[in-house]
Every structure is written in structure tokens, then in C-alpha cells.
Amino acid sequence: MANYVFLGPPGAGKGTMADLLADETGIVHISTGDILRQEMKAGSEPGARARQYVDEGKLVPDEVVAAMVTQRLGHDDVADSGVVLDGYPRTVNQAHLLDRALKENSLRLDAVILFEVGEDLLLRRLTARRICRNCGAVYNTMFDPPSREGVCDRCEGQLYQRSDDSEETVRERLKVYQDQTAPLIEFYQNRGLLVRVPGDREKAANFAVLRNTLEDL
Ligand code: AMP
């Protein structure tokens, strides 16, 4: 079973590609952003700690996120089906915490996939992103609109815009990525794990490249 980290700036398509890969192969998709949004909705203690950071586009403290990931990695489905970590790690410290969590669960990282997308496109993708309240399907009013405005094609749920997808917060998230997450590129390159994949085309084309890349590893 293969285990991957999907790395890249917000809007690079990590979540979309991870969803497609999970649908096709059964690999487990762990998104720390999704887990945090669930915890905030549920009003849990970690959710309450995370809210302010998420709303401001800042990183939630490492120990809060690491505890969630470590716990989730211990479930049997990860050992059985492999895992894509989407949005984790986001700091070098988190990468060290991940090493420890993988080791504790006798898991090994096979590759770190870096999705490369120019900043203009990231901004356009994020500010036009809409998500289904009911099933979580992701749309884009510019590049991948639903057939009926504001309504999910899959389940007819209502679409909404993430509050941290406003232009101001997106700019902060991109800055945080450059400052705190981009150092992971060199970190994983030095370990011989980094694989670069272009993410600037439309969904199906990006996924085709990703599939071929993973098959060739
Ligand atoms: P995402 O859905 O991956 O764009 O994440 C949304 C927000 O959740 C981020 O802007 C952060 O505030 C928080 N977050 C997600 N993953 C992490 C992480 N690994 N470390 C710290 N904060 C995170």
C-alpha cells in the first residue's frame, strides 16, 4: 500500500486530486482542513482552539493538528489501503511529528507530490470556489460551475463559499504557505521523496498526469 503527502499552495488542487484518487483506488484521504472544519462545526475543544487561526488564514498550532493526524493514522483502513495526506504537514516541525506518527504505526512515506500552479491562477481558483454543504463536492464558478447556480449537481445540496476563501484571507494563506510550508520542498527533496506534478490544467487533465506519475514511481 502506498502512502503519499500532497504538498502545494492553497488552491493547487490537492483536495480535488486526493478525492479523485480515493474514488478510483480506495486510498484513504486525510485532509486536515476538512477535519478542522468538522471539529469547528461540532464545537469540540480542538475545534474551538482552531477557529481563530482558520478564520484569519493562519496555521493552527502544530500540536493540535498533529494530534488529529496521529490519531487518524492509527485506524486499520490506513494500513490496509494506504493514505494521502492532504494539507499535512505544513511546517518542518509537523514533518518531524509525522515521521514519528508513521513510525509508531509501522508506515512508510513513499512520495511527496508537489502540485505546481502559478499564483494568479491560485487566487482565481480560490475566490471562485464553492462547496456543497451537504456532500462536500467542490465547484468553481469560473472553471467548473454547477449546472444550476448555487445547487450541487451530485445531491442538490446548497453551495457555499468558505469564509477563508475571501480575497484578503486567501492572500494571507498564500503568504503563510511561502513562509512556513514552502521550506518542506527542500526538506523532502533532500530525502529523495519529492515529485513535481503540474496542476495548472483542468481537473481531468491534471488527474491523468498524476495517475501516470504515481504509476511510474
Ligand atoms: P485547507 O482546507 O487545507 O486549505 O485548510 C484550511 C485551514 O485549516 C488552513 O488555512 C489552516 O488555518 C488550517 N490547517 C489545515 N491544515 C493545517 C495544518 N497542517 N497545520 C496548521 N493549520 C492547518
Side-chain angles (χ1 to χ4, degrees):
M1 281 311 116
N3 301 310
Y4 306 114
V5 163
F6 280 8
L7 185 66
K14 303 183 296 295
T16 304
M17 293 298 113
D19 268 344
L20 291 172
L21 194 65
D23 283 349
E24 198 174 289
T25 67
I27 198 166
V28 176
H29 173 192
I30 300 179
S31 154
T32 43
D34 285 349
I35 298 176
L36 286 165
R37 281 183 289 278
Q38 280 160 17
E39 296 287 339
M40 291 191 293
K41 205 168 157 192
S44 69
E45 201 251 297
R49 271 193 79 187
R51 181 173 298 279
Q52 192 184 348
Y53 298 97
V54 174
D55 285 348
E56 289 177 6
K58 305 244 171 11
L59 294 186
V60 173
D62 290 345
E63 70 274 11
V64 176
V65 191
M68 292 170 172
V69 174
T70 303
Q71 195 262 350
R72 183 64 186 85
L73 283 177
H75 293 198
D76 286 345
D77 58 350
V78 172
D80 293 344
S81 309
V83 69
V84 177
L85 287 167
D86 153 22
Y88 187 86
R90 263 170 149 106
T91 64
V92 171
N93 183 43
Q94 288 181 12
H96 289 300
L97 295 169
L98 175 62
D99 282 342
R100 207 189 299 162
L102 290 169
K103 203 166 162 201
E104 275 167 19
N105 289 290
S106 309
L107 299 167
R108 191 175 57 100
L109 195 56
D110 293 281
V112 174
I113 311 297
L114 173 66
F115 294 92
E116 297 188 294
V117 178
E119 185 154 329
D120 279 1
L121 182 56
L122 295 175
L123 256 175
R124 277 185 284 144
R125 274 191 188 162
L126 287 166
T127 52
R129 178 159 71 179
R130 299 292 182 274
I131 298 159
C132 175
R133 237 179 243 296
N134 183 43
C135 74
V138 180
Y139 297 87
N140 186 290
T141 56
M142 279 194 263
F143 310 118
D144 187 15
S147 357
R148 265 193 297 156
E149 199 186 320
V151 180
C152 179
D153 289 341
R154 245 203 249 170
C155 75
E156 306 220 316
Q158 188 193 23
L159 305 186
Y160 76 104
Q161 180 175 34
R162 269 172 51 176
S163 59
D164 61 343
D165 279 345
S166 67
E167 185 166 342
E168 190 195 349
T169 312
V170 162
R171 286 192 191 279
E172 176 63 20
R173 287 162 63 204
L174 292 172
K175 186 173 171 300
V176 165
Y177 173 80
Q178 283 309 332
D179 294 347
Q180 299 187 58
T181 307
L184 286 174
I185 297 172
E186 198 182 332
F187 178 90
Y188 283 122
Q189 205 159 26
N190 291 340
R191 289 191 178 184
L193 286 174
L194 194 84
V195 180
R196 293 172 190 268
V197 168
D200 54 359
R201 284 181 259 175
E202 48 87 35
K203 195 157 71 175
N206 287 335
F207 188 60
V209 175
L210 173 66
R211 284 296 275 144
N212 289 338
T213 306
L214 296 182
E215 266 162 28
D216 290 347
L217 285 180

